Amino acid sequence: MSLTQLITGAALLPLAVLARTTNLESRQSGTTVTVNLDQRYQTIDGFGASEAFQRAVQMSKLTEEQQQYTLDLLFSTEKGAGLSILRNGIGSSPDMSSDHMVSIQPKSPGGPSSTPQYVWDGSDNKQLWVSQEAVKRGVKTIYANAWSAPGYMKTNNNDANGGTLCGVGGASCSSGDWRQAYANYLVQYIRYYQEANVTITHLGFVNEPDLTTSYASMRMTGSQAADFIKVLGPTLEKENLTHVGINCCDPEGWSSQASMLGQLGSVDQYLSTITAHSYTSSPGSPLNTRHRTWQTEAADLNGAWQAAWFANGGAGDGQTWASNIYTALVNANASGYLYWIGAQTGTTNSKLIRIDGNTVSPSKRLWAFGQWSRFVRPGAVRVGTSGAPSGVRTSAFQNVDGSVAVQFINTGGSAANVQVKVSGGSGFASTTATAHITDNSHDLSDQAVTLSAGTAAASVPSRSMVTVVLKADAPAE
């Protein structure tokens, strides 16, 4: 059988079988890209989204079939994007009116030293259900993030419209110092999830502390955040919750977090992950920290809904988000990247999946995330690449199971042929290869790839993203 027949007949043969073909009459020519497993960078925690502010409630109103379809689209590594991080909102509001996230202690217990009066509805704005479903699909990273403390713990006596936690520097209140009460409140939230067999792995106590909004919000400087972490860190230790990492501080932009870092030095030992959003500045260079960094919220908030991979290169295109993730991981050494909302109703691009009645419509933004998340799994390490074709963004990661995932984002108008080989890594020798493509016509579809003498050959069509996955046989014992 000729190479042409092999490629055109790819739909008739399993790609792994096709990829194992080594005695080809000729090999597809192309630019040689070398993956260097000895050149190692950051460890990846994953990719994700949120269903906060009652978006999970919207999902729960779908039929059972459509609920499961939506959950699979988000979290399944076989049927969907395989997202591996879920970001939940810790409620602070006294009720669920509008899209408020209800607090586990809606009313003040009387003071910071009073006996708590927690209330648990077993739902948490339906986020517990989404969390349980995500865990069923293999998600192990649950990031619980509070937008604000309850209003009675703050200087403005309101969980919305800014205000600051009573007791941090420059924020004294007649009611007293609420820092310990707030730490206990967050611990109790974690406990409720534990009782439901969901492990919260990361905890954030503030969101966009540099912004005042008409919904849940709380202002904090880096120094004020440190004042609270000095209480929260020891509290988690005392409660035997050291597996829960403290995240800080989710400001509006990457550069804003860079400015806050210098004020967190006194609590560095308590920090797990440094987090920031992309609204006022995007991750373009590494933050000056020894901790892992996540981009935890980004979206095309106002663009009219569109589901294309490439329409006009705008903020809603899937290709745009594939490139945004690339920049964060390769240029800024980010270990995690999250979109704002996974699935919700409405007519903007603020989500990856649109719910309209009982109709569920995934966008190419979802599949852009899937090109990364499905094949770059938690614990993977970014490794070096060289020889990328002109105009094709190229990166590579080695997973915990030893497999190597290589990404190609071609934003140009013509196809690029590539040959991928691996060096280093104690003699890694590729024995199987698969390739997967997303563009205007494909959603994480299998793509033809050949393998000869350990080198994989594939085509990267114009305006597409292709991920090539290479595996080596386990060494004989």
Side-chain angles (χ1 to χ4, degrees):
M1 183 180 289
S2 69
L3 175 60
T4 300
Q5 290 172 316
L6 278 171
I7 294 176
T8 57
L12 303 177
L13 291 172
L15 286 181
V17 173
L18 177 61
R20 294 184 71 97
T21 304
T22 56
N23 297 320
L24 300 172
E25 295 177 6
S26 62
R27 289 175 50 193
Q28 180 178 344
S29 62
T31 302
T32 298
V33 175
T34 301
V35 177
N36 184 354
L37 298 184
D38 294 330
Q39 190 175 3
R40 302 175 77 80
Y41 301 95
Q42 80 273 26
T43 299
I44 300 302
D45 292 315
F47 308 84
S50 179
E51 292 298 324
F53 287 93
Q54 297 193 41
R55 272 57 171 187
V57 174
Q58 296 176 2
M59 193 192 304
S60 73
K61 294 179 179 179
L62 294 165
T63 62
E64 173 68 17
E65 181 181 6
Q66 291 297 79
Q67 288 175 15
Q68 295 303 311
Y69 173 57
T70 305
L71 291 161
D72 281 343
L73 284 173
L74 290 170
F75 303 114
S76 172
T77 56
E78 297 177 353
K79 302 176 182 179
L83 299 181
S84 49
I85 299 176
L86 176 62
R87 179 183 177 222
N88 287 339
I90 301 175
S92 57
S93 300
D95 55 49
M96 287 183 66
S97 63
S98 185
D99 62 355
H100 296 171
M101 297 184 290
V102 68
S103 167
I104 61 169
Q105 187 171 243
K107 297 180 180 180
S108 172
S113 300
S114 300
T115 302
Q117 299 176 9
Y118 299 125
V119 178
W120 179 240
D121 62 5
S123 171
D124 193 30
N125 310 283
K126 288 294 183 179
Q127 290 180 116
L128 177 60
W129 164 67
V130 172
S131 299
Q132 291 169 329
E133 292 292 329
V135 169
K136 287 180 185 178
R137 291 163 173 79
V139 174
K140 296 180 180 179
T141 302
I142 307 291
Y143 175 25
N145 190 188
W147 266 243
S148 173
Y152 52 80
M153 296 185 183
K154 296 168 58 184
T155 56
N156 66 339
N157 201 37
N158 189 338
D159 79 309
N161 299 310
T164 304
L165 179 66
C166 298
V168 299
S172 61
C173 302
S174 59
S175 59
D177 183 344
W178 285 85
R179 288 179 298 167
Q180 186 62 61
Y182 185 39
N184 296 341
Y185 177 93
L186 296 173
V187 164
Q188 185 60 47
Y189 181 89
I190 294 169
R191 294 293 190 204
Y192 284 136
Y193 269 71
Q194 277 186 328
E195 292 169 4
N197 297 315
V198 175
T199 299
I200 290 174
T201 57
H202 296 76
L203 175 65
F205 55 90
V206 71
N207 172 78
E208 295 183 350
D210 49 345
L211 180 67
T212 297
T213 64
S214 59
Y215 52 88
S217 56
M218 182 166 68
R219 299 298 292 248
M220 273 190 173
T221 65
S223 295
Q224 290 173 327
D227 284 343
F228 177 63
I229 293 170
K230 290 173 183 175
V231 176
L232 179 60
T235 300
L236 291 175
E237 292 178 351
K238 180 182 177 182
E239 296 293 330
N240 296 316
L241 293 173
T242 53
H243 67 277
V244 180
I246 297 176
N247 288 9
C248 193
C249 300
D250 287 87
E252 280 196 280
W254 195 256
S255 61
S256 299
Q257 184 59 54
S259 300
M260 296 178 75
L261 280 174
Q263 303 171 56
L264 299 174
S266 63
V267 292
D268 187 74
Q269 72 272 26
Y270 295 122
L271 293 173
S272 165
T273 308
I274 303 301
T275 51
H277 298 175
S278 287
Y279 296 120
T280 57
S281 58
S282 300
S285 59
L287 295 176
N288 184 21
T289 176
R290 67 185 180 92
H291 301 290
R292 293 182 188 177
T293 57
W294 293 358
Q295 190 293 126
T296 46
E297 188 179 320
D300 176 23
L301 294 176
N302 300 312
W305 171 262
Q306 64 100 346
W309 174 260
F310 179 83
N312 55 15
D317 286 4
Q319 178 179 281
T320 297
W321 289 94
S323 296
N324 289 345
I325 296 171
Y326 171 90
T327 301
L329 269 57
V330 175
N331 295 1
N333 287 344
S335 291
Y337 196 99
L338 285 71
Y339 203 76
W340 169 213
I341 293 294
Q344 72 169 94
T345 60
T347 58
T348 71
N349 291 325
S350 58
K351 61 275 188 182
L352 300 172
I353 300 169
R354 183 182 180 185
I355 298 172
D356 184 8
N358 197 48
T359 301
V360 174
S361 304
S363 69
K364 296 289 185 174
R365 294 182 298 282
L366 175 75
W367 300 119
F369 269 76
Q371 286 284 157
W372 297 93
S373 191
R374 178 103 65 99
F375 310 110
V376 181
R377 301 303 297 163
V381 175
R382 185 167 71 88
V383 294
T385 62
S386 60
S390 177
V392 177
R393 295 181 174 95
T394 305
S395 58
F397 300 78
Q398 185 168 35
N399 286 298
V400 173
D401 66 2
S403 64
V404 177
V406 189
Q407 299 76 33
F408 298 98
I409 304 172
N410 184 359
T411 60
S414 58
N417 294 328
V418 295
Q419 296 192 51
V420 185
K421 65 178 183 179
V422 179
S423 66
S426 301
F428 181 99
S430 305
T431 55
T432 62
T434 57
H436 316 270
I437 181 173
T438 295
D439 59 12
N440 276 338
S441 303
H442 301 88
D443 301 330
L444 270 176
S445 302
D446 290 346
Q447 172 86 335
V449 59
T450 61
L451 185 68
S452 177
T455 297
S459 176
V460 185
S462 65
R463 298 192 177 93
S464 75
M465 180 172 179
V466 172
T467 301
V468 175
V469 180
L470 304 170
K471 295 183 179 180
D473 288 341
E477 296 184 356

